[in-house]
Amino acid sequence: MSGIASSNGVQVESTTDLPRLHVIAGDGIISAADYRERIGPVLRVGGRSIAVHLRARTVHAARLFEVACWLAESARATGSLAVVNDRLDVALAAGAGGIHLREDSLAPEDVRQVAGRVAVDARGLRVGRSIHETRQAAMHPADLLDYLVLGTVYATPSHPEREPLGLPALAETVRLAGVPVLAIGGVVPATLPYVLARGAYGAVVLSGVWAADRPSEAVSRYLEVLDREAAP
Protein backbone atom coordinates (compact mmCIF):
# COMPACT_ATOMS: atom_id res chain seq x y z
CA MET A 1 0.00 0.00 0.00
CA SER A 2 1.24 3.48 -0.79
CA GLY A 3 -0.08 6.96 -0.06
CA ILE A 4 -1.40 9.01 -2.96
CA ALA A 5 -1.77 12.74 -2.51
CA SER A 6 -4.77 14.43 -4.08
CA SER A 7 -4.55 18.01 -5.26
CA ASN A 8 -5.78 19.27 -1.89
CA GLY A 9 -3.04 17.42 -0.05
CA VAL A 10 -5.28 14.66 1.33
CA GLN A 11 -3.48 11.33 1.58
CA VAL A 12 -5.46 8.23 0.65
CA GLU A 13 -4.17 4.70 0.77
CA SER A 14 -4.30 2.78 -2.47
CA THR A 15 -2.55 0.10 -4.38
CA THR A 16 -1.07 1.09 -7.69
CA ASP A 17 -3.40 -1.15 -9.66
CA LEU A 18 -6.72 0.32 -8.53
CA PRO A 19 -8.01 2.23 -11.59
CA ARG A 20 -9.06 5.83 -11.10
CA LEU A 21 -11.75 5.75 -13.80
CA HIS A 22 -14.64 3.30 -13.41
CA VAL A 23 -17.11 2.94 -16.29
CA ILE A 24 -20.53 1.39 -15.70
CA ALA A 25 -22.07 -0.74 -18.42
CA GLY A 26 -25.78 -1.10 -17.64
CA ASP A 27 -28.57 -3.28 -18.94
CA GLY A 28 -28.64 -1.56 -22.32
CA ILE A 29 -25.03 -2.47 -23.01
CA ILE A 30 -25.16 -5.94 -21.41
CA SER A 31 -28.23 -6.97 -23.41
CA ALA A 32 -26.98 -5.53 -26.72
CA ALA A 33 -25.97 -7.99 -29.42
CA ASP A 34 -22.87 -5.89 -30.09
CA TYR A 35 -21.69 -5.52 -26.49
CA ARG A 36 -18.21 -6.67 -27.48
CA GLU A 37 -17.94 -3.94 -30.10
CA ARG A 38 -19.12 -1.35 -27.56
CA ILE A 39 -17.02 -2.31 -24.56
CA GLY A 40 -13.92 -3.56 -26.39
CA PRO A 41 -12.66 -0.15 -27.59
CA VAL A 42 -13.17 1.30 -24.11
CA LEU A 43 -10.98 -1.43 -22.61
CA ARG A 44 -8.28 -0.96 -25.21
CA VAL A 45 -8.13 2.80 -24.75
CA GLY A 46 -8.32 2.66 -20.96
CA GLY A 47 -6.01 -0.28 -20.32
CA ARG A 48 -4.83 -0.43 -16.72
CA SER A 49 -6.35 2.96 -15.98
CA ILE A 50 -9.99 1.84 -16.07
CA ALA A 51 -12.41 -0.57 -14.49
CA VAL A 52 -15.58 -1.63 -16.29
CA HIS A 53 -18.57 -2.49 -14.11
CA LEU A 54 -21.42 -4.69 -15.26
CA ARG A 55 -24.55 -3.38 -13.53
CA ALA A 56 -27.52 -5.58 -14.37
CA ARG A 57 -30.92 -4.72 -12.99
CA THR A 58 -33.20 -6.45 -15.49
CA VAL A 59 -30.87 -8.72 -17.51
CA HIS A 60 -31.16 -12.37 -16.53
CA ALA A 61 -28.28 -14.18 -14.85
CA ALA A 62 -27.30 -16.32 -17.83
CA ARG A 63 -26.76 -13.27 -20.02
CA LEU A 64 -24.88 -11.45 -17.28
CA PHE A 65 -22.61 -14.47 -16.82
CA GLU A 66 -21.91 -14.64 -20.55
CA VAL A 67 -20.89 -10.99 -20.70
CA ALA A 68 -18.95 -11.22 -17.44
CA CYS A 69 -16.88 -14.15 -18.76
CA TRP A 70 -16.05 -12.22 -21.90
CA LEU A 71 -15.27 -9.05 -19.93
CA ALA A 72 -13.00 -10.87 -17.46
CA GLU A 73 -10.98 -12.43 -20.28
CA SER A 74 -10.80 -9.18 -22.25
CA ALA A 75 -9.81 -7.19 -19.17
CA ARG A 76 -6.94 -9.55 -18.46
CA ALA A 77 -5.66 -8.92 -21.99
CA THR A 78 -5.77 -5.13 -21.59
CA GLY A 79 -4.78 -4.94 -17.93
CA SER A 80 -8.15 -3.44 -17.02
CA LEU A 81 -10.31 -4.37 -14.04
CA ALA A 82 -13.53 -6.31 -14.67
CA VAL A 83 -16.15 -5.71 -11.98
CA VAL A 84 -19.59 -7.25 -11.48
CA ASN A 85 -22.04 -5.23 -9.42
CA ASP A 86 -23.95 -6.94 -6.59
CA ARG A 87 -23.79 -10.50 -8.00
CA LEU A 88 -20.91 -12.15 -6.15
CA ASP A 89 -21.81 -15.55 -7.60
CA VAL A 90 -21.45 -14.27 -11.16
CA ALA A 91 -18.26 -12.38 -10.36
CA LEU A 92 -16.57 -15.44 -8.88
CA ALA A 93 -17.82 -17.87 -11.52
CA ALA A 94 -16.69 -15.60 -14.34
CA GLY A 95 -13.29 -14.86 -12.81
CA ALA A 96 -13.90 -11.12 -12.55
CA GLY A 97 -11.33 -9.06 -10.70
CA GLY A 98 -13.81 -7.14 -8.60
CA ILE A 99 -17.24 -7.04 -7.00
CA HIS A 100 -19.09 -3.81 -6.30
CA LEU A 101 -21.65 -3.82 -3.51
CA ARG A 102 -24.83 -1.84 -3.16
CA GLU A 103 -26.15 -0.77 0.22
CA ASP A 104 -28.36 -3.87 0.31
CA SER A 105 -25.71 -6.30 -0.97
CA LEU A 106 -23.70 -8.77 1.09
CA ALA A 107 -21.46 -7.32 3.76
CA PRO A 108 -17.77 -7.01 2.79
CA GLU A 109 -16.72 -9.57 5.41
CA ASP A 110 -19.17 -12.09 3.93
CA VAL A 111 -17.80 -11.43 0.46
CA ARG A 112 -14.23 -12.12 1.61
CA GLN A 113 -15.33 -15.27 3.43
CA VAL A 114 -17.25 -16.67 0.46
CA ALA A 115 -14.39 -15.87 -1.91
CA GLY A 116 -11.99 -17.72 0.35
CA ARG A 117 -14.25 -20.76 0.50
CA VAL A 118 -14.19 -21.20 -3.27
CA ALA A 119 -10.38 -21.07 -3.36
CA VAL A 120 -10.24 -17.51 -4.65
CA ASP A 121 -7.58 -15.11 -3.41
CA ALA A 122 -9.96 -13.20 -1.18
CA ARG A 123 -7.52 -10.30 -0.81
CA GLY A 124 -6.87 -10.17 -4.54
CA LEU A 125 -10.56 -9.64 -5.27
CA ARG A 126 -11.31 -5.93 -5.42
CA VAL A 127 -14.31 -5.06 -3.26
CA GLY A 128 -16.03 -1.68 -3.41
CA ARG A 129 -19.23 -0.35 -1.92
CA SER A 130 -21.66 2.46 -2.71
CA ILE A 131 -22.64 4.97 -0.05
CA HIS A 132 -25.04 7.89 -0.26
CA GLU A 133 -24.33 9.76 2.96
CA THR A 134 -21.09 11.13 4.35
CA ARG A 135 -21.57 9.46 7.74
CA GLN A 136 -21.56 6.04 6.08
CA ALA A 137 -17.88 6.45 5.23
CA ALA A 138 -16.89 5.58 8.78
CA MET A 139 -19.34 2.67 9.08
CA HIS A 140 -17.60 0.21 6.77
CA PRO A 141 -14.47 -1.82 7.61
CA ALA A 142 -11.63 -0.23 5.66
CA ASP A 143 -9.51 -3.37 5.92
CA LEU A 144 -12.10 -5.31 3.91
CA LEU A 145 -12.81 -2.69 1.24
CA ASP A 146 -10.66 -1.35 -1.57
CA TYR A 147 -12.73 1.76 -2.27
CA LEU A 148 -16.02 3.56 -1.64
CA VAL A 149 -18.25 5.24 -4.21
CA LEU A 150 -20.10 8.35 -3.04
CA GLY A 151 -23.00 9.83 -4.93
CA THR A 152 -24.64 11.53 -6.33
CA VAL A 153 -22.18 14.41 -6.14
CA TYR A 154 -23.73 16.50 -8.91
CA ALA A 155 -27.27 16.35 -10.27
CA THR A 156 -27.65 13.55 -12.80
CA PRO A 157 -30.52 12.55 -15.11
CA SER A 158 -30.05 8.88 -14.20
CA HIS A 159 -31.16 9.62 -10.61
CA PRO A 160 -33.31 12.78 -10.80
CA GLU A 161 -34.93 11.95 -7.45
CA ARG A 162 -31.66 12.28 -5.54
CA GLU A 163 -30.54 15.61 -4.16
CA PRO A 164 -26.89 16.12 -5.11
CA LEU A 165 -24.57 15.88 -2.12
CA GLY A 166 -22.13 18.50 -3.37
CA LEU A 167 -18.39 18.95 -3.04
CA PRO A 168 -18.25 19.72 0.71
CA ALA A 169 -19.87 16.34 1.44
CA LEU A 170 -17.34 14.67 -0.82
CA ALA A 171 -14.44 16.30 1.01
CA GLU A 172 -15.84 15.21 4.38
CA THR A 173 -16.32 11.66 3.11
CA VAL A 174 -12.70 11.53 2.00
CA ARG A 175 -11.66 12.72 5.45
CA LEU A 176 -13.66 9.99 7.20
CA ALA A 177 -12.95 7.10 4.87
CA GLY A 178 -9.93 4.87 5.28
CA VAL A 179 -9.96 3.88 1.62
CA PRO A 180 -10.00 5.75 -1.70
CA VAL A 181 -13.29 7.48 -2.50
CA LEU A 182 -14.65 7.65 -6.04
CA ALA A 183 -17.23 10.28 -6.98
CA ILE A 184 -20.31 9.39 -9.00
CA GLY A 185 -23.15 11.47 -10.37
CA GLY A 186 -22.79 14.15 -13.03
CA VAL A 187 -18.99 13.93 -13.16
CA VAL A 188 -17.81 15.02 -16.60
CA PRO A 189 -14.28 15.98 -17.71
CA ALA A 190 -15.02 19.64 -16.95
CA THR A 191 -16.07 18.92 -13.35
CA LEU A 192 -13.57 16.15 -12.68
CA PRO A 193 -10.82 18.55 -11.48
CA TYR A 194 -13.18 19.86 -8.79
CA VAL A 195 -13.90 16.42 -7.33
CA LEU A 196 -10.20 15.58 -7.42
CA ALA A 197 -9.42 18.83 -5.65
CA ARG A 198 -11.72 17.72 -2.82
CA GLY A 199 -9.72 14.54 -2.35
CA ALA A 200 -11.56 12.07 -4.58
CA TYR A 201 -9.31 9.32 -5.91
CA GLY A 202 -11.23 9.20 -9.19
CA ALA A 203 -14.71 8.92 -10.67
CA VAL A 204 -17.39 6.47 -11.69
CA VAL A 205 -19.19 7.38 -14.90
CA LEU A 206 -21.96 6.07 -17.11
CA SER A 207 -23.65 8.56 -19.45
CA GLY A 208 -20.45 10.59 -19.66
CA VAL A 209 -19.03 7.72 -21.70
CA TRP A 210 -21.95 5.89 -23.30
CA ALA A 211 -23.90 9.00 -24.34
CA ALA A 212 -20.89 10.20 -26.33
CA ASP A 213 -20.70 9.64 -30.08
CA ARG A 214 -17.41 7.80 -29.53
CA PRO A 215 -17.24 6.28 -26.04
CA SER A 216 -13.55 5.44 -26.36
CA GLU A 217 -12.75 9.09 -27.05
CA ALA A 218 -14.80 10.10 -24.01
CA VAL A 219 -12.71 7.71 -21.92
CA SER A 220 -9.56 9.33 -23.29
CA ARG A 221 -10.81 12.77 -22.23
CA TYR A 222 -11.43 11.59 -18.67
CA LEU A 223 -8.02 9.96 -18.51
CA GLU A 224 -6.30 13.09 -19.82
CA VAL A 225 -7.79 15.06 -16.92
CA LEU A 226 -6.83 12.38 -14.40
CA ASP A 227 -3.27 12.27 -15.71
CA ARG A 228 -2.97 16.05 -15.69
CA GLU A 229 -4.38 16.51 -12.20
CA ALA A 230 -2.21 13.72 -10.79
CA ALA A 231 0.96 15.24 -12.18
CA PRO A 232 3.31 16.76 -9.55
Side-chain angles (χ1 to χ4, degrees):
M1 303 287 284
S2 60
I4 295 177
S6 70
S7 54
N8 71 346
V10 174
Q11 291 283 334
V12 294
E13 290 296 317
S14 175
T15 52
T16 56
D17 57 349
L18 178 66
R20 300 182 72 194
L21 180 65
H22 292 228
V23 179
I24 296 174
D27 290 293
I29 302 293
I30 298 170
S31 62
D34 62 345
Y35 70 84
R36 296 176 181 84
E37 288 73 22
R38 297 192 188 193
I39 301 175
V42 167
L43 291 173
R44 291 190 290 273
V45 166
R48 295 182 179 277
S49 298
I50 70 163
V52 173
H53 292 229
L54 299 181
R55 188 176 73 184
R57 290 173 172 166
T58 60
V59 173
H60 56 73
R63 176 63 168 190
L64 177 60
F65 177 63
E66 172 194 331
V67 179
C69 288
W70 172 85
L71 177 62
E73 181 178 358
S74 300
R76 282 191 288 271
T78 60
S80 310
L81 179 63
V83 180
V84 177
N85 285 25
D86 188 45
R87 294 294 301 267
L88 178 61
D89 55 341
V90 174
L92 295 179
I99 174 75
H100 184 78
L101 307 172
R102 306 181 312 200
E103 288 184 311
D104 58 355
S105 297
L106 288 174
E109 53 267 35
D110 294 328
V111 168
R112 298 292 186 192
Q113 187 176 56
V114 171
R117 285 178 178 174
V118 295
V120 172
D121 178 4
R123 290 306 313 175
L125 183 71
R126 294 295 185 192
V127 180
R129 193 175 188 92
S130 291
I131 60 173
H132 303 293
E133 297 179 55
T134 292
R135 63 180 180 83
Q136 293 176 306
M139 296 169 59
H140 297 291
D143 59 325
L144 297 176
L145 289 171
D146 293 287
Y147 63 91
L148 289 169
V149 173
L150 177 73
T152 59
V153 174
Y154 294 104
T156 173
S158 62
H159 292 289
E161 76 285 358
R162 288 184 183 168
E163 186 74 20
L165 297 170
L167 294 175
L170 173 62
E172 179 65 7
T173 301
V174 170
R175 188 185 70 82
L176 293 173
V179 294
V181 176
L182 303 169
I184 190 172
V187 182
V188 296
T191 58
L192 183 53
Y194 299 103
V195 302
L196 297 176
R198 294 303 180 106
Y201 177 74
V204 182
V205 299
L206 194 157
S207 59
V209 167
W210 302 115
D213 291 336
R214 293 179 175 82
S216 60
E217 292 183 5
V219 167
S220 294
R221 288 193 289 273
Y222 278 104
L223 293 179
E224 286 171 3
V225 176
L226 285 165
D227 289 344
R228 183 178 70 241
E229 296 297 320

Short mmCIF file of all heavy atoms in Angstrom, two decimals, residues 29 157 206-215 218 221:
data_model
loop_
_atom_site.label_atom_id
_atom_site.label_comp_id
_atom_site.label_asym_id
_atom_site.label_seq_id
_atom_site.Cartn_x
_atom_site.Cartn_y
_atom_site.Cartn_z
N ILE A 29 -26.27 -1.97 -22.42
CA ILE A 29 -25.03 -2.47 -23.01
C ILE A 29 -24.96 -3.99 -22.87
O ILE A 29 -24.63 -4.71 -23.81
CB ILE A 29 -23.80 -1.83 -22.34
CG1 ILE A 29 -23.84 -0.31 -22.46
CG2 ILE A 29 -22.51 -2.40 -22.94
CD1 ILE A 29 -23.68 0.21 -23.85
N PRO A 157 -29.22 13.00 -14.59
CA PRO A 157 -30.52 12.55 -15.11
C PRO A 157 -30.82 11.09 -14.80
O PRO A 157 -31.97 10.68 -14.82
CB PRO A 157 -30.39 12.78 -16.62
CG PRO A 157 -28.92 12.84 -16.89
CD PRO A 157 -28.32 13.43 -15.66
N LEU A 206 -21.09 6.89 -16.26
CA LEU A 206 -21.96 6.07 -17.11
C LEU A 206 -22.30 6.86 -18.37
O LEU A 206 -21.73 6.62 -19.42
CB LEU A 206 -23.22 5.67 -16.34
CG LEU A 206 -24.08 4.55 -16.93
CD1 LEU A 206 -24.92 3.91 -15.83
CD2 LEU A 206 -25.00 5.05 -18.04
N SER A 207 -23.23 7.81 -18.27
CA SER A 207 -23.65 8.56 -19.45
C SER A 207 -22.52 9.40 -20.02
O SER A 207 -22.48 9.68 -21.22
CB SER A 207 -24.85 9.43 -19.14
OG SER A 207 -24.56 10.35 -18.11
N GLY A 208 -21.58 9.81 -19.17
CA GLY A 208 -20.45 10.59 -19.66
C GLY A 208 -19.63 9.86 -20.70
O GLY A 208 -18.94 10.49 -21.51
N VAL A 209 -19.72 8.54 -20.69
CA VAL A 209 -19.03 7.72 -21.70
C VAL A 209 -20.00 7.23 -22.76
O VAL A 209 -19.82 7.44 -23.95
CB VAL A 209 -18.32 6.53 -21.03
CG1 VAL A 209 -17.88 5.49 -22.07
CG2 VAL A 209 -17.12 7.01 -20.25
N TRP A 210 -21.08 6.57 -22.33
CA TRP A 210 -21.95 5.89 -23.30
C TRP A 210 -22.84 6.83 -24.09
O TRP A 210 -23.32 6.45 -25.17
CB TRP A 210 -22.78 4.82 -22.60
CG TRP A 210 -21.93 3.82 -21.89
CD1 TRP A 210 -21.85 3.59 -20.56
CD2 TRP A 210 -20.99 2.91 -22.50
NE1 TRP A 210 -20.93 2.60 -20.29
CE2 TRP A 210 -20.40 2.16 -21.45
CE3 TRP A 210 -20.60 2.64 -23.82
CZ2 TRP A 210 -19.43 1.18 -21.68
CZ3 TRP A 210 -19.65 1.67 -24.06
CH2 TRP A 210 -19.07 0.95 -23.01
N ALA A 211 -23.09 8.04 -23.58
CA ALA A 211 -23.90 9.00 -24.34
C ALA A 211 -23.07 9.74 -25.39
O ALA A 211 -23.62 10.47 -26.22
CB ALA A 211 -24.56 10.01 -23.40
N ALA A 212 -21.77 9.55 -25.36
CA ALA A 212 -20.89 10.20 -26.33
C ALA A 212 -20.96 9.50 -27.68
O ALA A 212 -21.25 8.29 -27.76
CB ALA A 212 -19.45 10.18 -25.83
N ASP A 213 -20.70 10.23 -28.74
CA ASP A 213 -20.70 9.64 -30.08
C ASP A 213 -19.64 8.55 -30.18
O ASP A 213 -19.85 7.53 -30.82
CB ASP A 213 -20.45 10.71 -31.14
CG ASP A 213 -21.61 11.68 -31.27
OD1 ASP A 213 -22.74 11.29 -30.91
OD2 ASP A 213 -21.40 12.82 -31.71
N ARG A 214 -18.51 8.78 -29.54
CA ARG A 214 -17.41 7.80 -29.53
C ARG A 214 -17.00 7.57 -28.08
O ARG A 214 -16.19 8.32 -27.54
CB ARG A 214 -16.23 8.30 -30.37
CG ARG A 214 -16.53 8.39 -31.87
CD ARG A 214 -15.34 8.91 -32.65
NE ARG A 214 -15.58 8.90 -34.08
CZ ARG A 214 -16.25 9.85 -34.73
NH1 ARG A 214 -16.73 10.89 -34.06
NH2 ARG A 214 -16.43 9.77 -36.04
N PRO A 215 -17.55 6.54 -27.45
CA PRO A 215 -17.24 6.28 -26.04
C PRO A 215 -15.75 6.17 -25.73
O PRO A 215 -15.30 6.64 -24.68
CB PRO A 215 -17.97 4.96 -25.76
CG PRO A 215 -19.14 4.99 -26.70
CD PRO A 215 -18.59 5.61 -27.96
N ALA A 218 -14.36 9.53 -25.28
CA ALA A 218 -14.80 10.10 -24.01
C ALA A 218 -13.92 9.58 -22.88
O ALA A 218 -13.53 10.33 -21.98
CB ALA A 218 -16.26 9.76 -23.75
N ARG A 221 -10.71 11.43 -22.81
CA ARG A 221 -10.81 12.77 -22.23
C ARG A 221 -10.78 12.72 -20.70
O ARG A 221 -10.12 13.53 -20.05
CB ARG A 221 -12.08 13.47 -22.73
CG ARG A 221 -12.02 13.89 -24.19
CD ARG A 221 -13.14 14.83 -24.55
NE ARG A 221 -14.42 14.14 -24.59
CZ ARG A 221 -14.92 13.52 -25.66
NH1 ARG A 221 -14.22 13.49 -26.78
NH2 ARG A 221 -16.10 12.94 -25.62
#
